[in-house]
Amino acid sequence: LEFFWYGCPHCYDLEPQLKDWARKLPADVALRKVHVALGPAWAAHQQLYYTIEAMGRSADLDDRIFHAIHVDRLNLDRPERMADFVARHGVDRKAFLDTFESFSVKTRQRKATQQATAWGLEGVPGLGVNGRWYTAPSMARGNAQALQVVEWLLDQERKARK
C-alpha cells in the first residue's frame, strides 16, 4: 500500500521512483494506492482521487494532478476547480461532479480513513506491506531507501510462506 496525499510535496517527490519500482514488480506483488485525509484540508483531494479512480482515470490523471498542484500551483480545493481541471484532460465535467458526490466515492473515502487509522498513520508518504509492516521515506532516510526496505519486507514475507 502506498499512503499518500496529493498536496504532500514528499509524496510528489516519491511518485516517479515508486512508479518505476512498480513497473518491475513480480507477479506475487500488487501495489495499491490509498489517498488518506489526515486532516480536514486533505479531504477534498482525497475525494478527487477516489472520484477519478471510480471513473477509471487515476492512471492517466495522477501525474497531471500532482504536477498541477506542485508545479503549476493550481488550487484544486473545490469541486468546480477540480471539474474544470479534469475537463481539460478529457473527463466529462458533469459526470465528474456526479461521481464526486456519489455514495461509492464517499465509501472509498471512509475505507481509506479507516485504513489510515488502523495503520496508525501520522504522516505521508507511507508504505504498508502485507497488512503487517510499515515504512516511510522519513523512517528509512530517503525514497530509494524506503523502497529497499519494502523489497526486504517482501522477501521476509516470501520466506515466511515457505
Side-chain angles (χ1 to χ4, degrees):
L1 300 174
E2 176 206 9
F3 297 102
F4 78 104
W5 167 46
Y6 278 139
C8 169
H10 306 293
C11 297
Y12 173 69
D13 289 340
L14 174 62
E15 198 65 18
Q17 290 175 5
L18 188 67
K19 282 185 181 231
D20 287 344
W21 178 80
R23 284 186 195 101
K24 302 169 196 156
L25 287 177
D28 68 335
V29 179
L31 176 66
R32 189 166 50 87
K33 296 174 69 101
V34 180
H35 192 298
V36 297
L38 298 182
W42 298 20
H45 287 169
Q46 183 189 44
Q47 197 168 352
L48 168 62
Y49 175 76
Y50 289 110
T51 300
I52 64 168
E53 183 186 63
M55 298 180 83
R57 297 293 306 267
S58 61
D60 65 311
L61 290 177
D62 262 356
D63 287 343
R64 291 175 180 186
I65 292 168
F66 268 124
H67 189 274
I69 293 169
H70 295 280
V71 177
D72 298 336
R73 302 287 185 212
L74 290 181
N75 193 356
L76 299 178
D77 64 339
R78 294 193 180 111
E80 300 78 25
R81 290 179 182 167
M82 294 174 196
D84 290 342
F85 176 80
V86 297
R88 288 194 299 273
H89 297 285
V91 175
D92 179 87
R93 192 176 196 289
K94 182 180 179 338
F96 173 84
L97 290 170
D98 289 346
T99 305
F100 190 82
E101 295 300 334
S102 70
F103 177 77
S104 171
V105 167
K106 302 288 186 184
T107 299
R108 290 174 190 207
Q109 285 184 271
R110 274 193 303 279
K111 286 183 179 180
T113 299
Q114 289 168 348
Q115 280 186 300
T117 300
W119 281 87
L121 290 186
E122 295 179 2
V124 290
L127 301 160
V129 177
N130 202 27
R132 296 178 48 179
W133 309 104
Y134 179 82
T135 191
S138 61
M139 296 168 69
R141 297 195 167 177
N143 293 337
Q145 295 89 330
L147 293 173
Q148 289 172 348
V149 170
V150 170
E151 289 286 342
W152 185 83
L153 292 169
L154 291 169
D155 286 341
Q156 298 308 303
E157 287 295 312
R158 286 184 191 104
K159 288 175 186 173
R161 280 188 269 166
K162 291 181 181 181

